[in-house]
Amino acid sequence: PQNQREMSSLPPALQRAVLSQNKTLYGGLEPARSNLTSKIQAEAHQKSHTNTPSSENPGRHRVLRIDVTLSPRDPKAPGQFGHPVAVPPGKKKEAEQRWKEGNFNVYLSDLIPVDRAIEDTRPAGCAEQLVHDNLPTTSVIMCFVDEVWSALLRSVHSVLNRSPLHLIKEILLVDDFSTKEYLKANLDKYMSQFPKVRILHLKERHGLIRARLAGAQNATGDVLTFLDSHVECNVGWLEPLLERVYLNRKKVACPVIEVINDKDMSYMTVDNFQRGVFTWPMNFGWRTIPPDVVAKNRIKETDIIRCPVMAGGLFSIDKSYFFELGTYDPGLNVWGGENMELSFKVWMCGGEIEIIPCSRVGHIFRNDNPYSFPKDRMKTVERNLMRVAEVWLDEYKELFYGHGDHLIDQGLDVGNLTQQRELRKKLNCKSFKWYLENVFPDLKAPIVRASGVLINVALGKCISIENTTAILDDCDGSSKLQQFNYTWLRLIKHGEWCLAPIPEKGSLSLHLCDNRNNRLRWLHKSASAFHPELVEHIVFENYHQLLCMEGNFSQKTLKVAACNPVVPNQKWKFEKYYED
Ligand code: UD2
Ligand code: MN
């Protein structure tokens, strides 16, 4: 079947990722993949040779096929077996009106059984796989704020109906200060019929991230399994996740996230062989391993896929390991970016993130969050990502800032980062460079945007450093004095020195580089979308005034002057560009 996490049903952040991803699809993937694959194969090989029980290798059993919905009470009910449902002609208006309650087809969600059957979408071979008899128990943590009642119930029932109950220590519902009356009036009563379900009512809105932390602090199982509150767990979803954590407590195991269609509520499977990745500036997305790579490395549908980052919502993690890692950065607000934070932290501090193809959970992907953000949504997410960048990205954080153009100058207060940086030191975590080389080698992450000599296109002359100023001279690629880097923060750097305009005098000077000084920033190329005529110009944007670097060869001088597309002496080119 087709990959149904189609763009229209992905959250905006994901959509952006998928869009920009098409451009660079498969770029540089092959060498990276063959590395990972050999490891995966080695693991699979090992597994097939350790099937006999022993003291250090206790007994194993086939993944239990628990699904009490197999012979449903009402096989003819709408949506049964995960089939699509159509809104009856007379109900179109009502369905439309109710959409905004959850930003999906709430009318249909209410119509289909809360314990509907769905198709077993696991790849062949999953049902035969062995897992250990003594798997750890888990607390399933579901945080929600004003979740659609029927969707919340379906999530809980799918866990209860398709999990070995001895492995479920509890289902912890963390109510993030919901305000819907119906929910408040009925939740405790409804859930009281299930001894495994516990409810934690937060006294104020924590936001998803801190709500999960409240859940983790209250959890009593060995493993934490986080789920969104609009999911349907498929047959055999839990044991393969717990098996990975059991094998190595530093493995963080994610199910394949399938799609519950937001319009017709059908349960749709997704393409195999997808990794969780990100593109700059830290947009999550899925990237399919190219078919030829799959074929060449004989990757099987059931093979575990190691991922640079996780989607965020659905995963199992050893509880003590989660706390050892310092949980999520508690300074992250409401929603967003926490998946990046945890992913970098896990990989850089000795763990692994995996997608387990034999574990599958459906999720309703929505175009927009159906709840309000205490502060601006964009700003909240960007601030979270900035915290992540400042703590984990080292020198590569410039790529993050450089790709999110608006991020550079908005002066968002990211809050105190001392604790997070100290944690990273205490845990002895590796560098982001290590992460890129070993975990995500197919990500393009050039540390500068352009480099080499800086040539005036019309004059064919280059900028050169003379004493403490910059002049125009004959180009000499071997001269150290003519080497410049154009950074993602838009500085033109010569070592520690930056080209700086002096707008008052119309001249240029050298200034000690400082990433925070926006008076050192030059626009180059990136201005093209707004000012196509300025492509190749090096523009200094001084509030409302645009000033361009201009060369004068007879006097060997450089100046800044009003930008003028017809002045050829204002066109500049670096020797080398690293962008696509
Ligand atoms: C994705 C993740 C989600 C989370 C999010 C933020 C998946 C399938 N989903 O977006 O789990 O990691 O990215 O990066 O990977 N919630 C609260 N309090 C709040 C806001 C949300 O409890 O203030 C709940 C909400 O009811 C839901 C969960 O948190 O159950 C995730 O929110 P979402 O479904 O809006 O996020 P999603 O799936 O768009
Ligand atoms: Mn969700």
Side-chain angles (χ1 to χ4, degrees):
Q2 265 299 303
N3 175 11
Q4 294 295 357
R5 282 182 287 203
E6 11 116 41
M7 301 212 281
S8 65
S9 64
L10 295 178
L14 298 191
Q15 272 183 40
R16 249 185 288 140
V18 175
L19 280 173
S20 51
Q21 175 193 315
N22 285 342
K23 213 175 38 162
T24 58
L25 206 63
Y26 313 153
L29 193 59
E30 186 142 3
R33 192 52 218 178
S34 40
N35 258 339
L36 294 180
T37 312
S38 52
K39 281 187 203 159
I40 291 166
Q41 285 177 337
E43 242 173 69
H45 181 77
Q46 234 174 20
K47 231 191 274 171
S48 61
H49 286 77
T50 50
N51 273 348
T52 34
S54 71
S55 56
E56 80 225 40
N57 180 32
R60 308 214 232 170
H61 63 269
R62 273 195 191 178
V63 171
L64 298 173
R65 198 187 195 299
I66 293 171
D67 189 355
V68 309
T69 69
L70 277 179
S71 33
R73 285 175 289 131
D74 179 5
K76 293 229 165 66
Q80 201 55 275
F81 308 106
H83 294 158
V85 191
V87 176
K91 298 289 183 184
K92 292 242 154 67
K93 250 240 146 72
E94 187 182 342
E96 236 166 74
Q97 277 165 355
R98 298 200 58 202
W99 181 277
K100 61 183 175 303
E101 287 174 34
N103 286 341
F104 63 96
N105 202 326
V106 176
Y107 176 85
L108 289 183
S109 176
D110 285 359
L111 207 64
I112 64 185
V114 291
D115 60 349
R116 72 163 165 180
I118 50 177
E119 223 176 286
D120 180 352
T121 52
R122 292 174 298 174
C126 287
E128 284 71 48
Q129 282 191 354
L130 298 179
V131 292
H132 282 86
D133 293 339
N134 55 341
L135 289 177
T137 64
T138 188
S139 298
V140 174
I141 300 177
M142 264 184 220
C143 302
F144 62 93
V145 55
D146 287 325
E147 185 56 83
V148 171
W149 179 249
S150 53
L152 177 62
L153 262 44
R154 203 168 296 111
S155 307
V156 172
H157 281 287
S158 76
V159 174
L160 288 170
N161 290 340
R162 301 197 188 97
S163 315
L165 285 185
H166 70 280
L167 294 177
I168 304 269
K169 189 72 190 286
E170 67 212 334
I171 299 175
L172 202 46
L173 300 180
V174 185
D175 175 7
D176 191 12
F177 201 57
S178 295
T179 55
K180 278 184 187 169
E181 286 308 324
Y182 188 84
L183 195 71
K184 291 198 324 198
N186 293 283
L187 186 64
D188 292 76
K189 198 165 86 210
Y190 185 90
M191 293 300 167
S192 66
Q193 47 177 325
F194 310 113
K196 294 268 176 181
V197 180
R198 278 172 58 202
I199 304 173
L200 191 63
H201 292 285
L202 300 178
K203 297 281 171 289
E204 56 178 12
R205 175 88 177 272
H206 279 44
L208 161 68
I209 297 157
R210 289 193 285 271
R212 277 192 193 150
L213 296 185
Q217 264 134 23
N218 277 275
T220 60
D222 306 322
V223 174
L224 307 173
T225 298
F226 292 101
L227 295 177
D228 276 8
S229 51
H230 35 262
V231 298
E232 286 170 74
C233 299
N234 212 319
V235 190
W237 74 287
L238 184 60
E239 284 176 304
L241 298 179
L242 297 181
E243 174 75 7
R244 299 306 291 174
V245 180
Y246 171 86
L247 289 178
N248 176 351
R249 64 188 282 273
K250 296 188 172 180
K251 282 182 190 293
V252 177
C254 310
V256 170
I257 307 181
E258 303 204 282
V259 175
I260 303 170
N261 186 294
D262 58 339
K263 296 170 196 74
D264 63 23
M265 291 303 287
S266 58
Y267 185 101
M268 313 191 297
T269 192
V270 295
D271 279 351
N272 291 309
F273 309 120
Q274 296 197 69
R275 296 188 306 156
V277 299
F278 70 91
T279 52
W280 298 110
M282 273 201 265
N283 288 324
F284 176 83
W286 277 282
R287 188 179 295 174
T288 308
I289 302 170
D292 57 310
V293 177
V294 170
K296 197 171 127 207
N297 296 284
R298 295 204 202 100
I299 307 177
K300 299 196 302 299
E301 286 179 340
T302 49
D303 280 344
I304 279 149
I305 297 173
R306 290 144 66 94
C307 296
V309 291
M310 64 158 101
L314 290 50
F315 63 97
S316 290
I317 186 168
D318 179 274
K319 188 173 66 185
S320 65
Y321 181 52
F322 186 61
F323 282 99
E324 210 170 288
L325 285 175
T327 69
Y328 289 118
D329 166 7
L332 299 176
N333 293 332
V334 194
W335 182 97
E338 89 296 338
N339 56 328
M340 297 291 153
E341 197 240 354
L342 191 59
S343 302
F344 296 152
K345 194 187 281 192
V346 164
W347 278 115
M348 289 163 67
C349 314
E352 295 166 66
I353 309 246
E354 302 181 331
I355 287 182
I356 319 298
C358 286
S359 173
R360 305 177 92 86
V361 177
H363 168 261
I364 308 179
F365 287 90
R366 304 172 293 193
N367 277 324
D368 201 0
N369 312 79
Y371 40 80
S372 69
F373 277 66
K375 289 189 187 138
D376 180 79
R377 177 188 185 276
M378 272 268 281
K379 288 227 165 81
T380 304
V381 177
E382 273 164 5
R383 182 188 165 280
N384 285 352
L385 289 175
M386 275 168 74
R387 281 185 75 87
V388 178
E390 291 293 336
V391 175
W392 296 100
L393 261 50
D394 303 330
E395 66 271 30
Y396 292 88
K397 72 181 177 195
E398 292 194 18
L399 275 130
F400 164 72
Y401 287 112
H403 279 84
D405 268 341
H406 50 294
L407 279 167
I408 298 179
D409 292 313
Q410 67 186 6
L412 276 179
D413 176 17
V414 297
N416 192 320
L417 296 167
T418 320
Q419 275 198 348
Q420 297 309 307
R421 290 186 170 139
E422 270 168 13
L423 178 78
R424 183 175 160 181
K425 242 186 255 153
K426 195 189 87 192
L427 293 171
N428 236 323
C429 307
K430 299 197 174 76
S431 66
F432 196 72
K433 185 163 189 283
W434 175 90
Y435 168 86
L436 287 178
E437 284 166 358
N438 293 278
V439 182
F440 198 2
D442 48 312
L443 178 72
K444 290 205 179 86
I447 203 82
V448 294
R449 296 173 83 166
S451 69
V453 293
L454 181 42
I455 313 162
N456 186 293
V457 178
L459 300 168
K461 302 292 172 183
C462 289
I463 298 186
S464 188
I465 302 291
E466 195 176 77
N467 300 322
T468 56
T469 65
I471 61 155
L472 209 53
D473 208 343
D474 289 324
C475 293
D476 174 6
S478 65
S479 166
K480 283 222 170 77
L481 297 174
Q482 297 191 2
Q483 293 298 312
F484 292 91
N485 278 334
Y486 183 55
T487 75
W488 291 100
L489 290 176
R490 302 198 193 132
L491 305 185
I492 302 176
K493 280 177 121 174
H494 176 80
E496 292 309 298
W497 294 94
C498 277
L499 288 188
I502 311 177
E504 306 78 46
K505 291 196 194 157
S507 64
L508 261 152
S509 70
L510 287 173
H511 199 288
L512 208 56
C513 295
D514 171 5
N515 277 342
R516 277 161 305 182
N517 184 352
N518 54 22
R519 298 189 55 104
L520 298 177
R521 281 183 197 135
W522 300 86
L523 258 97
H524 182 48
K525 283 218 162 183
S526 54
S528 58
F530 305 105
H531 303 279
E533 76 282 6
L534 296 181
V535 172
E536 290 186 341
H537 286 214
I538 291 194
V539 180
F540 178 69
E541 202 176 24
N542 187 9
Y543 301 98
H544 304 295
Q545 192 189 8
L546 288 180
L547 294 175
C548 281
M549 199 186 287
E550 192 177 310
N552 177 331
F553 189 59
S554 57
Q555 289 166 21
K556 283 195 157 194
T557 54
L558 289 162
K559 63 174 185 175
V560 281
C563 292
N564 187 343
V566 300
V567 174
N569 289 14
Q570 289 188 356
K571 290 194 189 276
W572 300 87
K573 237 169 74 182
F574 280 97
E575 188 178 342
K576 200 159 179 233
Y577 289 84
Y578 300 94
E579 287 168 88
D580 305 318

